[in-house]
Amino acid sequence: MKDVYILGIESSCDETSVSIVKNGNEEIVTKTLSQIDIHKKFGGVVPEIASRSHAECITIVIDEAITESKLSWDDIDAIAVTKGPGLAGSLLVGLEAAKTLSLCHNKPLIGVNHMAGHIYANSLVDKMEFPLICLVISGGHTEIIYMNEDLSFKKIGGTLDDSVGEAFDKVARVIDVPYPGGPVIDKLSKTGKPSYNLPVPMDNDSYNFSFSGVKSAVINLVHNEKQRGNEINKEDLCTSFENIVIETLTSKTMRAVKEYNVKELLLAGGVSANSGIREKFKELCEKENIKLVVPKLAYCTDNAAMIAACGYYMFLKKDFSDYSLGINPSLCLDYKES
Ligand code: KG4
Ligand code: ZN
């Protein structure tokens, strides 16, 4: 079969990213403009600023990706773009750019679910083997997904309140560390001791999670200590919080891996960049003799390579969209029984 080159566009939050991926597993080029420095002073992403910044940058990033790839538009087989979930204004910029490219260069248009993209970041590491379990942990999602074939996503558990990324970011805010908080907590927790007593969330037989309790416990603890005039040991608090998160995520996910008797476990999403989470899963999977695949660090957080990789599998199924394709800020992963 002829090689297939998919150009992917990702603009669902605060990264303007364009990538070209060959045959779903070989990254030719990825160009990403991060807006983190712009949003840092506000302590989080400001949607209006994000969409304006995407609009200013998108054509520049597309041009850079094509130029660096040394490919021509004739070589590109399809345009894949994130259609949701994400920020409405930000998604619209990527989608309009993709439709324009599709129309001008006469290429099929593929609308990709951002969460499916996170999962397919793993296909840039190794070919996926089914059935598998994927733990999706990002700023907006915390889900255990079962897949028995490509593009079939069955949710077997998820958070009932906050996502794990949200919990990281809120804990970071209350201890005054800069946005985005996850990577800073990751670093601080390396040198701390788990000396703070925090509640273990949803310690039961379900595959669901709840992170609002532990998040509120951290917030209350910090406020109470401040009122008493006591100093918080940030490193110790980060270690205590992260240990609880790691324990909850690993115990439920490893139980699902065994119950569903899968060939491999994947991690996906921004929080899968967390070194403590990666190490603990590596240790447990080695012990249990289970194959673990984790995305490269650069593909954990938002990027267009994962959108192009997922787009390749949709291309094989001819899962194309026409120009009526719209964005869906609260799009879910859907499951097709085969
Ligand atoms: O997947 P992502 O880039 O965006 C969404 O689709 O939501 O995930 C962003 C989330 C943020 O909450 C960020 O704090 C978290 O991923 N994150 C981390 C780490 N790196 C990013 N959380 C914990 N440890 C990290 N090293
Ligand atoms: Zn994401």
Side-chain angles (χ1 to χ4, degrees):
M1 195 179 128
K2 166 192 170 296
D3 288 329
V4 175
Y5 292 88
I6 307 288
L7 183 137
I9 299 180
E10 155 63 34
S11 70
S12 67
C13 190
D14 58 349
E15 323 278 350
T16 316
S17 185
V18 176
S19 180
I20 299 171
V21 168
K22 180 177 161 187
N23 300 333
N25 58 20
E26 190 185 324
E27 179 196 27
I28 304 297
V29 65
T30 300
K31 288 280 162 196
T32 303
L33 258 178
S34 173
Q35 302 172 6
I36 284 185
D37 287 341
I38 302 174
H39 298 290
K40 215 170 208 158
K41 52 181 172 291
F42 303 103
V45 179
V46 183
E48 289 77 7
I49 297 177
S51 53
R52 205 176 315 143
S53 176
H54 284 304
E56 283 163 7
C57 303
I58 189 86
T59 50
I60 300 167
V61 184
I62 293 167
D63 280 346
E64 279 184 356
I66 283 286
T67 307
E68 199 168 297
S69 73
K70 308 244 183 327
L71 295 169
S72 76
W73 284 104
D74 285 346
D75 300 312
I76 303 294
D77 292 282
I79 313 292
V81 62
T82 305
K83 61 179 178 180
L87 301 170
S90 294
L91 288 165
L92 273 172
V93 176
L95 182 63
E96 290 311 313
K99 283 183 184 173
T100 310
L101 292 176
S102 158
L103 188 64
C104 293
H105 299 288
N106 195 24
K107 309 287 176 190
L109 178 68
I110 302 173
V112 177
N113 182 311
H114 179 79
M115 302 319 296
H118 272 302
I119 295 173
Y120 275 84
N122 286 289
S123 72
L124 294 159
V125 178
D126 202 355
K127 191 164 168 45
M128 280 147 89
E129 287 184 75
F130 303 103
L132 61 81
I133 290 276
C134 182
L135 175 67
V136 183
I137 37 178
S138 72
H141 292 75
T142 305
E143 287 169 5
I144 301 180
I145 303 287
Y146 171 82
M147 294 176 71
N148 59 1
E149 60 177 348
D150 271 313
L151 304 171
S152 160
F153 310 99
K154 181 180 187 178
K155 181 175 159 185
I156 62 167
T159 183
L160 303 181
D161 41 56
D162 291 1
S163 74
V164 65
E166 249 177 293
F168 267 100
D169 294 338
K170 284 187 188 148
V171 166
R173 200 185 271 225
V174 80
I175 59 167
D176 288 331
V177 302
Y179 164 87
V184 186
I185 293 189
D186 189 355
K187 206 163 145 217
L188 291 176
S189 66
K190 285 200 166 79
T191 51
K193 293 182 294 303
S195 57
Y196 290 98
N197 208 0
L198 298 170
V200 180
M202 292 281 293
D203 190 12
N204 61 22
D205 286 347
S206 82
Y207 288 122
N208 289 327
F209 301 100
S210 164
F211 291 103
S212 74
V214 65
K215 176 201 73 184
S216 304
V218 173
I219 294 172
N220 291 340
L221 192 148
V222 173
H223 288 163
N224 290 342
E225 291 300 297
K226 269 190 190 155
Q227 271 172 1
R228 290 192 195 112
N230 295 337
E231 276 282 315
I232 284 281
N233 182 318
K234 287 187 186 177
E235 285 82 3
D236 284 3
L237 188 56
C238 288
T239 309
S240 309
F241 167 73
E242 209 182 272
N243 280 5
I244 298 257
V245 170
I246 293 173
E247 170 56 27
T248 311
L249 293 176
T250 51
S251 62
K252 298 213 171 198
T253 308
M254 294 308 285
R255 187 151 49 78
V257 163
K258 282 183 213 153
E259 187 188 323
Y260 283 79
N261 198 18
V262 292
K263 294 214 173 102
E264 60 183 25
L265 168 65
L266 314 181
L267 304 185
V271 185
S272 67
N274 183 275
S275 55
I277 294 175
R278 291 166 88 99
E279 275 159 29
K280 188 70 187 175
F281 271 112
K282 187 166 175 278
E283 178 197 317
L284 292 171
C285 286
E286 271 169 15
K287 201 165 121 203
E288 305 278 352
N289 205 14
I290 288 158
K291 184 179 168 195
L292 172 71
V293 185
V294 291
K296 282 195 211 161
L297 278 181
Y299 301 142
C300 288
T301 44
D302 295 345
N303 66 87
M306 67 187 198
I307 301 303
C310 184
Y312 169 76
Y313 291 91
M314 296 175 73
F315 178 89
L316 295 184
K317 293 194 171 183
K318 297 199 170 27
D319 190 354
F320 303 137
S321 294
D322 61 27
Y323 296 129
S324 67
L325 178 67
I327 55 147
N328 182 349
S330 49
L331 187 66
C332 293
L333 281 173
D334 43 279
Y335 177 61
K336 292 175 213 95
E337 199 81 51
S338 56

